[in-house]
Amino acid sequence: MSVKLGLLALLDEQPMYGYQLHTTFKERTGDTWPLNIGQVYTTLARLERDGLVEAAGDDGDGHQIYALTDTGRAELSQWFATPVARSDRPRDELAIKLSVALTVSGVDVREVLQTQRTATLRDLQDLTRQKAAVDEGDLAWLLALDSLIFQAEAEARWLDSCEERLLKKEVRR
Amino acid sequence: MTLLELRHVSRIHGSGASAVTALNDVSFAVQPGELVAVMGPSGSGKSTLLNLAGGLDTPTNGDVLVEGVSLGELSSRALAAVRRRSVGYVFQDLNLLPALTAAENVSLPRELDGVPLRRARTEALATLERFGLSDVADRFPDDLSGGQQQRVAIARAFIGERRLLLADEPTGALDTTTGESVLRLLREQCAAGAGGVLVTHEARHAAWADRIVFLRDGRVVDETGEARRPNGDAIATGGRS
Ligand SMILES: Nc1ncnc2c1ncn2[C@@H]1O[C@H](COP(=O)(O)OP(=O)(O)OP(=O)(O)O)[C@@H](O)[C@H]1O
Ligand SMILES: [Mg+2]
């Protein structure tokens, strides 16, 4: 997900100032999406330049409040209507690494697989721990965590199937 | 006290040319409060490990200790008592008794413990309620869905504060949210001081455990997390929090 669209979605709920946006973004995505306050301000500046948000006064304490424009709202609907292409996620390194490991002599591919599996399962444990601590009412955050959990699970299953293929190949030899 | 300990445990089925080494020099321990998942390909020895841990099978070599007691040194009567009082099982093939209702299946271990019938039934109904099964208490296993049977089998393992819970693929026939609620309960039971071993091939379910042990060809090949000391501290320092 692009940070830009994430911020637009939050501004669609209510106009906010930069610091508020930063806090809300972190609340919604946990720490799974690193974003610093500086990025929030530069993104807001770019969004304003492109006419997607506009300044909407201050909060009385001198904080500049931003609101979504109609163009911004249209961009947001467009985003929700478009599926995310899997190729947008730079996860292919692993597939490449395994294919390469198969052809390089002296590399124990099952070890490579196991190392990856342990790492993936650790991530999965971390995510599950976060999920166990989430209040049932916080549906948005639960859904986001579930998505990450199912992605990690898919990777683990893919690793299992790689190992099965590898075993079949060894048996045939 | 360490709830479960396997010390250099091996299990060989058969002998001579047809011998199968199901488990090969496996050591591992479960402390109170800990849930450990065991993963591995089919035939890697997961069920064998669980059966040995619960005293349903005897190792060819090595020792199995439940709450500090070596099972190999017990008379068959004493062993039966440990199995009944300390250990709750969920088997891969469930093992519900078809002639008993769900409530009777769940209360049976308590009756065998010598708990009066009425109290055993009250406990069974309370346990069934925790698993969202109050409605099916008086039905027979054949009249339950696969998922309901599975939850009854798990309820039976949980009744009577058993300290060591051993579960072999307990979430097989359950949908995502029901499977998850079962794992939450297992997790809570362990947080309350029990110890659990969960055999599963689903990474998403194993992730509820404190530690995941990977078996391959009867050996432990890797682990996530750190083994705990009996006092609850992690042995290794540094690394992940
Ligand atoms: N009674 C037996 N006699 C001979 N071999 C056995 C016996 N029980 C198990 N084995 C063998 O021991 C090995 C480990 O079996 P085990 O049932 O522990 O595997 P598992 O990891 O639980 O597999 P699955 O995921 O399929 O349930 C297998 O090769 C199996 O064929
Ligand atoms: Mg098995």
Side-chain angles (χ1 to χ4, degrees):
Chain A
M1 177 189 65
S2 84
V3 167
K4 175 182 115 178
L5 287 153
L7 296 186
L8 284 181
L10 293 178
L11 287 177
D12 189 37
E13 288 172 15
Q14 64 171 100
M16 280 186 258
Y17 55 89
Y19 180 75
Q20 226 180 343
L21 258 179
H22 183 234
T23 318
T24 314
F25 187 91
K26 284 211 325 202
E27 271 169 20
R28 294 293 172 81
T29 57
D31 288 325
T32 51
W33 231 288
L35 173 72
N36 63 44
I37 185 78
Q39 275 172 284
V40 173
Y41 287 120
T42 48
T43 309
L44 278 173
R46 233 176 292 137
L47 289 170
E48 192 178 14
R49 181 199 66 199
D50 297 342
L52 301 176
V53 305
E54 63 193 359
D58 70 45
D59 69 340
D61 285 327
H63 296 128
Q64 175 64 61
I65 292 180
Y66 291 90
L68 208 56
T69 63
D70 287 341
T71 320
R73 207 158 283 124
E75 174 111 1
L76 192 59
S77 320
Q78 178 64 32
W79 180 48
F80 282 128
T82 314
V84 176
R86 292 202 49 95
S87 57
D88 286 352
R89 291 197 279 116
R91 210 44 253 202
D92 294 338
E93 186 196 336
L94 182 54
I96 292 167
K97 186 196 262 188
L98 285 174
S99 327
V100 170
L102 274 175
T103 52
V104 175
S105 65
V107 177
D108 183 344
V109 186
R110 288 185 86 183
E111 280 305 314
V112 178
L113 281 172
Q114 184 57 44
T115 304
Q116 185 63 44
R117 178 160 28 226
T118 305
T120 304
L121 264 302
R122 277 206 178 108
D123 289 347
L124 210 47
Q125 280 177 295
D126 282 348
L127 291 166
T128 305
R129 243 171 253 138
Q130 290 184 53
K131 178 167 160 176
V134 173
D135 177 45
E136 293 274 325
D138 196 351
L139 196 56
W141 181 213
L142 269 180
L143 291 182
L145 274 175
D146 270 340
S147 159
L148 295 170
I149 284 172
F150 279 106
Q151 281 169 37
E153 186 198 23
E155 188 170 288
R157 287 169 87 157
W158 174 62
L159 291 167
D160 288 347
S161 105
C162 288
E163 183 159 5
E164 278 167 32
R165 279 188 199 283
L166 208 64
L167 281 176
K168 280 205 192 106
K169 197 177 136 226
E170 277 170 11
V171 169
R172 244 187 278 132
R173 257 190 211 154
Chain B
M1 189 198 295
T2 304
L3 271 180
L4 169 69
E5 193 177 352
L6 269 64
R7 290 188 187 154
H8 301 289
V9 167
S10 299
R11 177 69 171 100
I12 301 168
H13 291 289
S15 60
S18 64
V20 178
T21 304
L23 221 53
N24 193 345
D25 193 19
V26 167
S27 296
F28 103 139
V30 180
Q31 306 300 337
E34 214 180 12
L35 177 61
V36 180
V38 179
M39 298 191 79
S42 185
S44 57
K46 306 182 296 294
S47 296
T48 303
L49 186 153
L50 220 55
N51 289 339
L52 290 167
L56 299 169
D57 189 10
T58 322
T60 312
N61 283 301
D63 263 333
V64 177
L65 294 87
V66 173
E67 301 196 269
V69 176
S70 170
L71 299 186
E73 288 164 14
L74 296 178
S75 66
S76 57
R77 245 179 98 181
L79 180 62
V82 169
R83 280 207 301 249
R84 259 200 342 258
R85 296 212 183 93
S86 305
V87 187
Y89 304 90
V90 186
F91 296 98
Q92 199 163 6
D93 51 6
L94 302 185
N95 270 331
L96 290 177
L97 298 174
L100 301 183
T101 65
E104 287 163 353
N105 263 288
V106 174
S107 68
L108 184 63
R110 292 304 274 158
E111 291 170 36
L112 294 174
D113 284 352
V115 169
L117 212 64
R118 184 174 297 193
R119 209 178 99 207
R121 169 142 182 113
T122 311
E123 284 181 23
L125 293 178
T127 310
L128 284 170
E129 195 183 342
R130 285 178 64 201
F131 284 87
L133 290 166
S134 296
D135 292 349
V136 305
D138 294 318
R139 286 208 232 150
F140 291 94
D142 285 346
D143 304 332
L144 299 174
S145 75
Q148 287 167 336
Q149 288 180 30
Q150 203 141 13
R151 277 183 288 158
V152 171
I154 295 165
R156 181 181 58 183
F158 272 57
I159 197 172
E161 321 233 313
R162 274 149 175 76
R163 307 250 302 137
L164 181 60
L165 295 165
L166 305 175
D168 202 344
E169 299 281 3
T171 47
L174 303 178
D175 61 35
T176 308
T177 45
T178 319
E180 189 177 303
S181 64
V182 164
L183 287 160
R184 272 182 199 270
L185 282 166
L186 194 58
R187 179 71 274 176
E188 281 166 19
Q189 199 79 6
C190 290
V197 183
L198 164 71
V199 166
T200 178
H201 66 272
E202 295 222 37
R204 198 160 31 84
H205 292 160
W208 284 86
D210 300 294
R211 197 147 53 90
I212 304 171
V213 173
F214 298 92
L215 281 186
R216 191 204 291 159
D217 303 332
R219 287 178 184 274
V220 174
V221 289
D222 209 351
E223 257 178 66
T224 75
E226 299 136 354
R228 276 197 233 171
R229 285 213 180 95
N231 65 7
D233 295 342
I235 288 172
T237 51
R240 313 173 70 91
S241 58

